[in-house]
Amino acid sequence: MNIDEFRVRGKEMIEYICEYIRTLEGKRVTANVDPGYLRHLMPNEAPFKPESWDAIMRDVDGKIMPGITHWQHPRFHAYFPSGNSFPSILGDLLSDAIGCIGFSWAASPACTELETIVLDWYAKAIDLPAEFLSEQKSGGGVIQGSASECILVTMLAARSQAIKMLKEQEPNTEDSAFLPKLVAYCSTESHSCVEKAAMISLVKLRVLEPDDKASLRGKRLESAIREDVANGLVPFYVSTTLGTTGSCAFDNLVEIGPVCKLYPNIWLHVDGAYAGNAFICPEMRPFMAGIEHADSFNTNPNKWLLVNFDCSCLWVRNRMKLTSALVVDPLYLQHARSGESIDYRHWGIPLSRRFRALKLWFVMRSYGISGLQKYIRNHIRLAKRFEAQMKKDRRFEILNDVRVGLVCFRLKESEEMNQELLANINASGRLHMIPARVMGKYILRFCITKEDATEEDIDYALNVIEEHATEVMLAHYE
Ligand code: PLP
């Protein structure tokens, strides 16, 4: 494809995208295909000769689209939102065209500098403690590919600090010999990526029971830490969550923070992958009380701030502690301005980095903080409407405190009937939700995801759920 053809095909693609989005509502929300469906439709080998763009796009329509789960569909209420907006799509488009690999300042100065600036903007917009700003020189923010990476790199940084401390006491011991002593903590409600990070880091993970609101409390953590210290272990990392995946519960940082402070080597991480974005609204900030105790915090604009995947923001109080765990410095990556600038390759695992700051910058400027607040508030308002309406139907119970855009509910019936209800709704293609197990109970999660979701969308969803509930109950009790 040359530049003239790209000009034409590019415009057609924008048109295709607009039509895709405009007509989404008429499609099934989930794909109705079986595993392996695409294998039957595709040749076994890549074409030897070039194919026409028209032929490729015909296959997008005929073969790919039938296998798509439409995450931007107004009836998609599963998981958390997958951020998406026109300014963000345009940001990614431009980033792909520029195609720089901004691993160091010199590799593309604007790529690094814009990232530092927008991360400071966002930290201020959600009122993070000033120590997290790069303006303060000791802290700073970085865009990672996912919350899982944020948790992994902070765990690796904490591990490196703990090993350094132990090495001062036993300088002749190999680093790896300290690993069996190290123990990290999280709650049963933490995302599974904490477990994965501990697996990769080769450390123990103690998974603690939260209280009956799914919130991890200080006393529970303190007793686990005491017990482990008494057994000769070295606590080094605590991963807390503001807005858990299952039920959007908030761990109690006001209690947990001071417990961590009793042990100089414990790194307190706060994962706000979804709900952290809500702190852009001042009225939501009471839910981040205790954040001043944190060593690091992450939230994903690619979940709930209209930025397309991937864009997971991580801030650290002490950037040296993060980078000292991750620095390698071969000659071919060094540059003359190293000392004066940030080189983000030291802040994460991959060397190569996309220009992700562009889309976050586009979104922040196009919507303004006020537009983003409006978006978040609309989702919270609609979740509360869903909750209020559902409470009127005595067949259902709500199982979480609805604070953000997620409602957890179940039929006051057996787990089997709830499973059937969810399976039938999803099979209908009219609505998509996923289940979770919260405090031992099987629940259905209803998340507001569409950018400009409306009351009509909520009422439609309630109707579908109620219709299917009636069907399931009739089938069981007739
Ligand atoms: N943390 C929380 C609270 C989440 O809800 C999720 C995913 O939904 C993650 C971490 C993992 O996110 P990612 O897919 O960005 O790794």
Side-chain angles (χ1 to χ4, degrees):
M1 190 178 286
N2 61 26
I3 192 160
D4 294 325
E5 194 184 352
F6 177 69
R7 208 183 287 278
V8 173
R9 296 306 190 178
K11 286 175 186 158
E12 281 175 15
M13 186 60 91
I14 297 291
E15 192 52 36
Y16 185 88
I17 290 170
C18 291
E19 280 309 288
Y20 170 70
I21 291 172
R22 195 184 62 77
T23 57
L24 256 179
E25 190 162 357
K27 300 182 193 333
R28 278 181 63 90
V29 57
T30 45
N32 192 16
V33 293
D34 293 320
Y37 92 98
L38 196 52
R39 172 75 58 196
H40 302 300
L41 300 174
M42 290 282 185
N44 285 334
E45 282 165 27
F48 185 68
K49 290 191 179 157
E51 293 191 70
S52 76
W53 191 253
D54 286 333
I56 297 169
M57 286 306 290
R58 262 198 307 279
D59 281 353
V60 169
D61 261 340
K63 298 177 180 171
I64 303 300
M65 281 299 174
I68 295 286
T69 297
H70 301 289
W71 283 60
Q72 306 307 325
H73 197 295
R75 312 284 164 242
F76 184 94
H77 297 289
Y79 312 100
F80 283 135
S82 167
N84 197 340
S85 66
F86 295 122
S88 172
I89 293 171
L90 292 176
D92 257 350
L93 188 65
L94 181 58
S95 161
D96 285 345
I98 294 172
C100 66
I101 304 290
F103 45 74
S104 65
W105 179 86
S108 201
C111 181
T112 296
E113 294 200 14
L114 188 65
E115 185 161 333
T116 309
I117 291 164
V118 291
L119 270 279
D120 275 359
W121 280 11
Y122 196 25
K124 287 179 195 169
I126 56 175
D127 204 24
L128 281 185
E131 294 81 0
F132 287 100
L133 298 176
S134 69
E135 286 170 4
Q136 304 279 321
K137 300 290 180 227
S138 58
V142 56
I143 302 179
Q144 305 279 351
S146 65
S148 306
E149 279 173 72
C150 296
I151 288 171
L152 175 60
V153 295
T154 52
M155 192 182 283
L156 291 173
R159 186 183 79 162
S160 157
Q161 292 298 310
I163 290 176
K164 204 185 282 173
M165 187 243 341
L166 292 168
K167 196 113 179 159
E168 277 166 17
Q169 296 157 18
E170 298 176 42
N172 298 325
T173 304
E174 284 280 329
D175 287 7
S176 58
F178 295 118
L179 292 178
K181 287 189 165 193
L182 300 185
V183 55
Y185 303 84
C186 68
S187 100
T188 52
E189 300 300 312
S190 300
H191 192 269
S192 59
C193 67
V194 183
E195 188 183 341
K196 189 181 268 192
M199 264 166 61
I200 296 171
S201 305
L202 297 172
V203 293
K204 293 184 179 54
L205 179 69
R206 263 194 87 169
V207 183
L208 306 172
E209 281 298 327
D211 68 11
D212 57 2
K213 296 277 185 192
S215 166
L216 182 62
R217 306 294 299 270
K219 285 228 158 19
R220 183 73 197 86
L221 176 68
E222 190 174 6
S223 70
I225 291 178
R226 276 183 199 283
E227 199 178 297
D228 289 340
V229 169
N231 287 329
L233 296 178
V234 178
F236 79 104
Y237 183 85
V238 175
S239 186
T240 55
T241 315
L242 296 181
T244 58
T245 314
S247 65
C248 248
F250 290 70
D251 289 338
N252 192 324
L253 298 184
V254 173
E255 294 175 0
I256 290 170
V259 172
C260 295
K261 289 278 180 300
L262 295 174
Y263 300 86
N265 231 53
I266 291 187
W267 179 301
L268 174 60
H269 180 71
V270 179
D271 173 17
Y274 163 69
N277 295 289
F279 303 138
I280 202 164
C281 301
E283 70 275 19
M284 296 304 290
R285 292 184 194 147
F287 296 120
M288 69 195 274
I291 192 72
E292 65 279 7
H293 302 297
D295 292 290
S296 50
F297 172 77
N298 74 273
T299 189
N300 288 24
N302 70 251
K303 289 196 194 296
W304 203 20
L305 206 78
L306 297 168
V307 179
N308 286 66
F309 186 78
D310 54 347
C311 184
S312 186
C313 297
L314 169 69
W315 291 269
V316 289
R317 180 178 292 277
N318 184 331
R319 67 170 87 160
M320 287 306 291
K321 286 187 180 170
L322 176 67
T323 56
S324 65
L326 300 167
V327 167
V328 284
D329 210 17
L331 184 60
Y332 52 83
L333 296 175
Q334 293 170 15
H335 60 91
R337 315 302 292 268
S338 282
E340 302 164 65
S341 60
I342 285 182
D343 284 348
Y344 277 122
R345 67 194 164 94
H346 302 311
W347 294 54
I349 292 167
L351 170 65
S352 301
R353 316 183 74 250
R354 301 178 67 236
F355 194 174
R356 293 176 288 213
L358 210 47
K359 58 187 167 186
L360 182 53
W361 186 54
F362 279 16
V363 166
M364 285 189 160
R365 292 189 62 184
S366 309
Y367 287 84
I369 302 292
S370 60
L372 296 169
Q373 288 172 337
K374 197 169 152 207
Y375 158 75
I376 298 272
R377 284 179 183 138
N378 182 46
H379 278 200
I380 297 174
R381 180 181 70 86
L382 292 176
K384 289 191 192 291
R385 177 186 172 87
F386 181 95
E387 178 194 26
Q389 297 288 97
M390 183 162 263
K391 273 185 174 164
K392 292 183 191 156
D393 187 333
R394 294 204 171 161
R395 296 174 300 172
F396 293 100
E397 58 180 334
I398 306 281
L399 284 110
N400 65 330
D401 288 338
V402 179
R403 292 165 167 166
V404 278
L406 180 77
V407 187
C408 299
F409 68 93
R410 64 189 295 280
L411 271 175
K412 292 177 198 158
E413 302 287 345
S414 65
E415 176 163 334
E416 188 196 2
M417 280 170 72
N418 277 286
Q419 283 175 354
E420 201 175 315
L421 172 65
L422 181 63
N424 292 354
I425 291 172
N426 283 338
S428 76
R430 296 165 71 199
L431 210 68
H432 187 36
M433 293 180 290
I434 58 159
R437 193 169 295 284
V438 174
M439 308 313 294
K441 282 190 174 165
Y442 179 94
I443 53 109
L444 282 68
R445 291 170 81 266
F446 180 86
C447 190
I448 316 285
T449 65
K450 190 182 145 204
E451 174 177 354
D452 51 357
T454 60
E455 292 184 359
E456 289 70 42
D457 293 327
I458 299 310
D459 297 346
Y460 174 93
L462 280 160
N463 273 339
V464 172
I465 294 166
E466 285 166 6
E467 264 175 43
H468 280 277
T470 303
E471 210 177 278
V472 168
M473 291 183 71
L474 281 175
H476 273 261
Y477 291 119
E478 246 183 8

